[in-house]
Amino acid sequence: MPEDLSTGDLGIIIERMDGSVLIINNSSLSILCRIEGLGDLSHASAVFSRDARYAFVFGRDGGLTKIDLLKGQISKRILQSGNSIGGAISQDGQYIAVSNYEPGGVNIFAIDDLSLVAKLPALYGESNMASKTVGLVDAPGNQFIFSLYDGNEIWQVQMDSKSNKIKSDVKKYNAGKAPYDGLISSNGRYYIAGLFGEDGLNLLDLWHPEKGTSKILSHYGKGQKKLPVYKMPHLEGWAIAGNHAFLPAVGLHEVLVVDTNSWKKVTRIKVHSQPVFAMASPDDRQIWVNFAFPDNNTLQVIDSESFKIIKQFQPGKGILHMEFTPRSEHVWVSVRDNDEIIIYDTQTLEEIKRLPAKKPSGIFFTSRAHRIGL
Amino acid sequence: MPEDLSTGDLGIIIERMDGSVLIINNSSLSILCRIEGLGDLSHASAVFSRDARYAFVFGRDGGLTKIDLLKGQISKRILQSGNSIGGAISQDGQYIAVSNYEPGGVNIFAIDDLSLVAKLPALYGESNMASKTVGLVDAPGNQFIFSLYDGNEIWQVQMDSKSNKIKSDVKKYNAGKAPYDGLISSNGRYYIAGLFGEDGLNLLDLWHPEKGTSKILSHYGKGQKKLPVYKMPHLEGWAIAGNHAFLPAVGLHEVLVVDTNSWKKVTRIKVHSQPVFAMASPDDRQIWVNFAFPDNNTLQVIDSESFKIIKQFQPGKGILHMEFTPRSEHVWVSVRDNDEIIIYDTQTLEEIKRLPAKKPSGIFFTSRAHRIGL
């Protein structure tokens, strides 16, 4: 790695087939190095330490890997479960929580040495079974929020920095049937669970947890299955621009526009196919949308004000993820089957550079270190 | 400085009387070092490079100082005018613009060596005089926006990264009489100029520059001078939480609540004295307010939802600035006459630490590197 490196404009790219990640620089638009040996990285994601030095990568095989971006090497790696699905870092920067499918529950680790701090089996019902957990995010007040796929609940857990423990009272809310993903608004107020088992979404207002959850967008979901659902859309990338949220419809060729005051639908935007991610540029001006198989060779850009599609790209098969630079000038797109990353200028909507990457999927910049819920 | 430092959780504190700055760490709540020799730092402010390694400090004496946070030393220092009042860094991270009182205008420098890239004298009217410039901010599209105090205009300038020049067509808009400060919304859409020469504020919608500026909040200002105005409030810290902006009233003991869709007043909140800064926590939950002399020994905290004052502190005289950590857990407050910084927990509203600093004023964390308009 270069000497005297500073990490504010770095990031990592997941190479899903090879268990490797690339460290990249989003100022020089370059790859700094490749790090290998991270295990199964299908569906992998990452968070960053508050000094932006370390990335914590959550692998599908239950692996949790701490990467030192300054040295370009793995600092520590553990296998913390059999099968995991993402994680979060606490507001104080001291704890990493990991959401598990097998054996379920959430495990919480100290960032320094990845030693276990707490285990939350997420037991539910009378059988006392451990639920798969999903939609794990950090929230203000040093909290973690997540959903129980089998348990149909949302759990709210607070970490106590002083005692290095979970505060005793874990709060539990009705999530609806089979929550499969969750998101939190960028100010940490609203937690929303997407549901596989019924239509609609469940909203928890963390400023008013005493009110419990409420169902919103009751027609959102698979409904009468007008089309086969190839992939349930991700909620992470919900685009909020002004008073509107833009969200991928389920099983339909539409992006829904929702009023974020009333959480009611404003309109639908016809798009190319079934959307997977709909992500807003940090300047709120554009919504970039990718699509499920077999149409995962297409990207569309929606103008957030006119709701019109202003550009379409078909750069290659397997467009899996998009990441904007924090001040909105560029977006990096992973194109799996091209084995490359394409960087677009959001102002001109022109491609500006391609970088080689082996079967790239998730792209994560260190500026996430300074955001709630990312 | 510590070896192997990463800068994501660092920041600087201006020591206004001594021409020095402190480099601090907002994870360990500690001072790393003091750097001296920055000239007149009254009203000084700072921006950060996109890798979060360098701070650029704008001094009152026209000094522009580049600080290397990794090495804890000055990389470069120039005197670029006789009297300056803040600056901005371009979206691409390549240019620093400085707003000048004497001789007026805006100067633009390359970040590497602070070599002059462009001079905008900001000439106005038939006399072709150089205007004092204020309210200089960066905006998406690699733009700088600023106001001409003498020229009563808002100028919009775009930098061309390839040619290393200002694009030829500088756009000019009516600002109203004597703009004294400006701000841009966090998505870079709305530029608002505060006016000293008349009541009201002038709004420029950068998504629709063809519409020109429009007057908003026409009663905002000195009005019939119900009270003497000790200090015109800063606009930088306008707090936007949900659909509400909270802004310090001029010459009144009030914070105004404004609807950010209509830009009309919703209500007024009675506060202790004449507010200077009203700043929102990143989680939108609280508005922290400080006050003009002789009441600059008081801090009040407003709940953004109930509009009620939930806490008041009187830690010492000369409360000059507040800076939140980016994920909202702490706020750092400079108390000039105590020669100290006080750190509060935003959750408990308890003081958690004091750090010594010589006549501290502005506090700036490196997470600003990743924000539009900061």
Side-chain angles (χ1 to χ4, degrees), chain A residues 119-361:
Chain A
K119 252 179 137 53
L120 279 162
L123 302 177
Y124 68 96
E126 299 190 352
S127 64
N128 243 6
M129 302 268 283
S131 176
K132 289 186 182 67
T133 57
V134 297
L136 171 61
V137 298
D138 63 274
N142 223 29
Q143 298 184 102
F144 292 119
I145 317 288
F146 56 90
S147 296
L148 279 62
Y149 178 82
D150 308 296
N152 302 327
E153 287 180 330
I154 297 169
W155 284 21
Q156 180 185 21
V157 170
Q158 192 171 24
M159 299 302 299
D160 183 351
S161 309
K162 285 176 195 151
S163 71
N164 206 29
K165 282 184 183 155
I166 290 175
K167 290 195 180 174
S168 54
D169 53 332
V170 173
K171 295 193 182 69
K172 302 174 185 180
Y173 308 89
N174 171 41
K177 280 189 200 145
Y180 73 93
D181 197 4
L183 75 90
I184 191 162
S185 60
S186 62
N187 64 1
R189 176 171 182 174
Y190 296 109
Y191 181 82
I192 297 171
L195 303 176
F196 195 75
E198 61 181 302
D199 282 351
L201 299 150
N202 254 8
L203 174 87
L204 176 62
D205 179 352
L206 292 168
W207 293 12
H208 293 289
E210 74 284 359
K211 293 185 182 167
T213 54
S214 53
K215 177 69 81 81
I216 60 169
L217 296 171
S218 55
H219 297 292
Y220 184 83
K222 292 183 292 178
Q224 298 311 306
K225 290 212 185 59
K226 293 109 191 163
L227 287 169
V229 178
Y230 290 107
K231 184 169 172 58
M232 290 299 280
H234 282 277
L235 298 188
E236 182 213 339
W238 270 30
I240 297 188
N243 296 319
H244 294 135
F246 296 79
L247 52 146
V250 179
L252 297 173
H253 296 183
E254 291 175 354
V255 167
L256 305 182
V257 185
V258 174
D259 183 305
T260 53
N261 295 312
S262 64
W263 296 103
K264 290 196 190 311
K265 193 180 67 188
V266 174
T267 189
R268 305 163 173 276
I269 301 168
K270 283 293 271 181
V271 291
H272 180 68
S273 183
Q274 293 185 17
V276 175
F277 280 112
M279 302 187 83
S281 55
D283 67 4
D284 288 348
R285 195 91 206 241
Q286 295 164 1
I287 317 299
W288 287 59
V289 186
N290 69 346
F291 300 96
F293 179 86
D295 292 315
N296 62 4
N297 66 337
T298 300
L299 261 181
Q300 287 188 317
V301 184
I302 298 171
D303 178 297
S304 69
E305 194 179 29
S306 68
F307 303 155
K308 289 199 165 49
I309 290 163
I310 54 173
K311 187 96 179 189
Q312 175 167 320
F313 301 96
Q314 290 185 318
K317 281 266 180 196
I319 297 172
L320 295 190
H321 200 228
M322 298 163 274
E323 177 88 337
F324 291 91
T325 49
R327 290 168 74 199
S328 217
E329 69 279 12
H330 295 155
V331 59
W332 290 46
V333 176
S334 52
V335 189
R336 184 193 57 206
D337 296 359
N338 283 13
D339 287 314
E340 64 188 357
I341 300 292
I342 306 183
I343 305 167
Y344 296 95
D345 182 315
T346 57
Q347 180 83 5
T348 62
L349 297 174
E350 299 292 333
E351 176 187 322
I352 51 173
K353 189 155 185 181
R354 296 189 180 211
L355 294 171
K358 297 188 222 166
K359 302 285 171 281
S361 56

